[in-house]
Amino acid sequence: MAKKTAAASDDDENEDDKERANSKDNENEKDGPELPPVIDSSDAFNSFNRRVVTWVSQPDAFGRGGEPRYAPEDLQDFRPCLRPPVPVLTVLDDGSMEYGEDVRLRRERLAIGRTSGDIQIPNDPAISGAHAEIRRTPWRGSFQWHLHDLDSVNGTFVRCVRAVLYEHAILILGARRFRLRNPLRPNATHPSTGDTSEMEGVHIPPTVWPVLAEASAKPGALECPLRSEKLTIGRTGGGADIELDDPLLAYRHAELKRMRDGTWMITSETTRNGMWVSISAVGLTRTCYFRCGEQRFRFVIP
C-alpha cells in the first residue's frame, strides 16, 4: 500500500510540473508579439482570381436576371470625341463576307500590297507590289476615309449597288470582267430653243450604241452589243437579256439602263456575289467592301 501511494504522488507531481510548464509557455506567448496566421499565398491569389473571373464572365454580372434593364432614356453608348473613330478593316477569309483577319486603322494611312505596305498579301499574284491605300482626312468637323488605287496593274474595285459606266471603267460580274466600249460621253450643252421639253435634257444621237465587251485579250472574248434602252444581265436559263454561263451569277443579276444624257448606269440586284466597279479614288461609307486582286476586304466604322 505504501508503494502504491508513493507512485500515485509521483504521478501527481509530474502532472503538476507539466501544467506549470504549459502555463509558462502560455505566458511567454502572451508576452511576445502575435504572429499572423500562415496562409498559402498561391491559394489565396487563385481564389481571388476565381471570384473576379466568375464576376466578369457572369452573363448577368449585376444580378438583375437576364439582360441589363437600363432606363428608357439611357440609350447613348460612349463614343470618343477628341480623337478619330477607329475603323476596322477585315481581310476576308475565302468564301466569306463576314469573317477574316481584323486590322484597326489608327493612323492616317494604311497601305495594301503584295510586297510592301501595312497589309501584305504575298500569295496573290494579281495584287501589285504597292496596290492601294486608305487615307483619313478631316471633313466638316469630323473625319472621312478614302480608298485610292496606286496605279495597280489589275485595278482596285468596290462593291456597289449602282454605277455609271464611263469609258475606262471595268465591271466585274461573276468571274468575268467587262468594259463598256464606245460609251457616249455626256454633253452638258443645252440646245438654244424655246421648247422646254427639249431643254429638260440633252440630245442623244439615236444611232450611238455601245458594246459591253469582256476585258480580256483571250480569243473568243464575249461582246454584247447594247441595242435597247434597258437590258438585264444574268445566268443562263433565267431569261435575262444578256445570259452568261457563270455559276457566280444569279438569274437576274444586274440591269443596264440608258440615262437621259446618253450615259449607261448599271444597277445590281440583291445577290450573293454582287457587282464590282473599278475606281481610282472613292470615299468609304460606314460599311463597304472592296477588292484588290482576288482578295476581298470589308471596311467598317463602328
Side-chain angles (χ1 to χ4, degrees):
M1 292 291 293
K3 290 182 179 180
K4 289 183 179 179
T5 304
S9 61
D10 291 340
D11 293 339
D12 292 339
E13 289 179 0
N14 291 334
E15 290 180 359
D16 292 340
D17 292 340
K18 290 180 180 179
E19 289 179 359
R20 283 194 294 271
N22 290 334
S23 64
K24 288 181 180 180
D25 293 339
N26 292 335
E27 289 177 0
N28 292 335
E29 289 178 1
K30 291 180 181 179
D31 294 339
E34 287 191 13
L35 298 177
V38 177
I39 298 176
D40 189 343
S41 59
S42 61
D43 290 343
F45 182 74
N46 291 335
S47 176
F48 174 75
N49 271 353
R50 282 195 295 270
R51 289 197 299 272
V52 171
V53 170
T54 300
W55 183 83
V56 171
S57 62
Q58 197 70 252
D60 181 19
F62 299 98
R64 295 172 179 169
E67 292 294 328
R69 293 189 293 273
Y70 302 118
E73 73 280 2
D74 191 7
L75 301 174
Q76 183 64 47
D77 292 324
F78 170 76
R79 287 289 185 270
C81 57
L82 299 179
R83 64 164 175 82
V86 180
V88 179
L89 180 67
T90 303
V91 185
L92 292 169
D93 293 339
D94 294 345
S96 174
M97 297 297 285
E98 182 178 0
Y99 302 106
E101 179 183 353
D102 291 341
V103 179
R104 283 166 174 79
L105 282 69
R106 293 186 171 91
R107 298 182 180 179
E108 291 185 357
R109 298 191 176 200
L110 182 139
I112 301 170
R114 191 180 74 254
T115 58
S116 65
D118 304 290
I119 298 178
Q120 297 183 21
I121 306 179
N123 62 331
D124 192 336
I127 295 179
S128 297
H131 196 103
E133 186 175 68
I134 298 176
R135 302 171 188 171
R136 184 187 73 212
T137 55
W139 183 71
R140 295 184 180 179
S142 183
F143 298 89
Q144 62 181 359
W145 286 260
H146 285 84
L147 175 64
H148 294 259
D149 180 73
L150 301 179
D151 294 327
S152 63
V153 175
N154 294 301
T156 301
F157 296 79
V158 295
R159 182 169 180 167
C160 56
V161 175
R162 64 181 61 88
V164 175
L165 297 182
Y166 293 108
E167 185 174 5
H168 299 291
I170 296 178
L171 171 70
I172 296 180
L173 292 173
R176 290 185 173 91
R177 298 187 176 204
F178 294 92
R179 185 193 304 273
L180 195 62
R181 199 167 63 205
N182 300 326
L184 177 66
R185 297 180 180 180
N187 180 9
T189 305
H190 293 277
S192 57
T193 175
D195 190 346
T196 56
S197 63
E198 293 185 3
M199 293 179 66
E200 289 179 355
V202 295
H203 288 296
I204 302 175
T207 58
V208 176
W209 294 101
V211 176
L212 185 66
E214 189 174 1
S216 173
K218 297 179 181 179
L222 296 177
E223 291 190 358
C224 305
L226 307 183
R227 297 292 183 266
S228 176
E229 300 285 339
K230 184 186 297 185
L231 301 101
T232 56
I233 303 173
R235 191 199 301 187
T236 302
D241 298 312
I242 300 176
E243 293 189 336
L244 302 173
D245 186 13
D246 190 335
L248 298 179
L249 296 179
Y251 285 130
R252 185 182 175 91
H253 199 91
E255 180 184 78
L256 269 170
K257 184 178 180 181
R258 193 184 197 191
M259 309 304 291
R260 290 195 306 171
D261 61 356
T263 58
W264 287 82
M265 175 176 286
I266 186 166
T267 303
S268 175
E269 300 291 342
T270 304
T271 61
R272 181 181 299 274
N273 293 297
M275 70 176 190
W276 307 74
V277 179
S278 62
I279 56 96
S280 57
V282 67
L284 298 175
T285 57
R286 297 194 69 88
T287 300
C288 57
Y289 297 85
F290 66 91
R291 60 183 284 176
C292 302
E294 290 189 315
Q295 179 61 58
R296 294 182 176 185
F297 300 84
R298 181 181 64 180
F299 178 86
V300 176
I301 303 177

